[in-house]
Amino acid sequence: MFILTSHGDYAKATLASCQMITGQLDGFYPVSFNDPMGVDDVVAQYQQIIEQHPEDSDVTIIADIPNGTPANAAHIFQGSHPATKVYAGLSLMTLLAIATGTEPDAAFAQTAELAGEVGKKHRVQAAKTASKPAAVPENHGNPLVNVRVDARLIHGQVATMWTRSVAASRIMIVDDEIVQSEVQKATLKTAVPGGVHLSILTAQGAADRFSKQQYNGQRVFLIVRDVTMLQKLVDAGVAIDKVNVGNMSMQSGATQIAKSVAVTPDDVAVFKHLTDKGVKLYHQMVPNDPQADFNELLAKGSK
């Protein structure tokens, strides 16, 4: 059990922001300290949470700052619950790491290492981590372990949830326009998780490499923002069995068919082409969500 506590509603908002990336989390409970509450009121809230969830015996309290009332209340609570661990320095970065399985001590150390100006420091850290890649399962089948349509490309859900869920050793961005933009390529290199390789290719370039079996033994997570890239890949002979249509932004002429998916008539034509080629289409925002049949969403959205 993790109790997140702060002055005002910061803890509640941080948890809500985290769940935008991870989906609904179990075992995380926010506590807000507002005037005219006192320290005893905060302690009582901690006590109420553990009484309502007696099955959660391990309690960790993460406060916003040390020596503030939420943290002081945590220390008082710890006096009658000595097994409770108390931390200070609640942030989205730290919470996201904890929510995806990192132990709190390691999560805080990771935050301290990565915090600061985004840029060179993060690229150096990513390169350092990449020199000691995390062990991933051997892959003797199709190197494509996940194919996703996502207008945001590499973002929180992709970098933390999906890459870990599919144990990807390489993220591949296929986009004929991004290949020509040094700025966009540099941004993607900064966003890729440490220890994971990155390829940014045109559709033809990716198809050529797959045909030469350059990624055999790897676990490739392929992401596109433009569904026509998938049509080009499939027509070039790349073995794509299924596609997760995760996020497509609203644009002129588009119809929203799911919370995060809006499609144009041109998109629908591409999806029909993929279906005719035997590609299974589904919609799944985060790994813990159930898969929804994408063609059923399209059919409902067209009515």
Side-chain angles (χ1 to χ4, degrees), residues 43-44 46-47 50-51 61 73-84:
V43 174
Y46 300 159
Q47 185 65 36
I50 67 163
E51 289 176 355
I61 300 178
H75 288 302
I76 294 172
F77 178 85
Q78 191 179 41
S80 56
H81 300 81
T84 300

Side-chain angles (χ1 to χ4, degrees), residues 77-98:
F77 178 85
Q78 191 179 41
S80 56
H81 300 81
T84 300
K85 295 181 179 179
V86 179
Y87 293 85
L90 176 63
S91 72
L92 177 57
M93 192 188 307
T94 301
L95 181 58
L96 185 57
I98 292 171

Side-chain angles (χ1 to χ4, degrees), residues 90-125:
L90 176 63
S91 72
L92 177 57
M93 192 188 307
T94 301
L95 181 58
L96 185 57
I98 292 171
T100 54
T102 304
E103 290 297 317
D105 287 332
F108 278 98
Q110 176 180 301
T111 298
E113 190 167 20
L114 293 178
E117 183 181 0
V118 176
K120 181 178 179 181
K121 176 180 178 180
H122 296 75
R123 289 193 291 271
V124 169
Q125 177 60 27

Side-chain angles (χ1 to χ4, degrees), residues 227 245 248 263 267-275 281 294 298:
V227 294
V245 186
M248 297 180 67
V263 296
D267 297 328
V268 173
V270 173
F271 287 129
K272 183 180 184 305
H273 180 82
L274 294 175
T275 300
L281 305 176
F294 187 73
L298 280 176

Side-chain angles (χ1 to χ4, degrees), residues 137-188:
E138 291 188 12
N139 184 18
H140 300 293
N142 187 339
L144 285 176
V145 294
N146 196 279
V147 180
R148 180 176 176 87
V149 180
D150 199 318
R152 299 165 296 180
L153 298 175
I154 304 176
H155 58 101
Q157 290 172 348
V158 165
T160 60
M161 302 295 291
W162 281 108
T163 301
R164 178 176 295 188
S165 174
V166 301
S169 60
R170 178 181 298 277
I171 292 176
M172 178 183 291
I173 304 298
V174 176
D175 193 289
D176 291 349
E177 293 182 1
I178 289 178
V179 171
Q180 303 175 44
S181 171
E182 293 304 320
V183 172
Q184 292 188 74
K185 287 193 292 185
T187 300
L188 289 168

Side-chain angles (χ1 to χ4, degrees), residues 24 39 45 114 122 135 169 191 197 231 239 253 255-256 282:
Q24 189 65 34
V39 66
Q45 289 194 60
L114 293 178
H122 296 75
S169 60
H197 300 287
Q231 180 171 334
T255 300
Q256 188 166 2
Y282 66 99

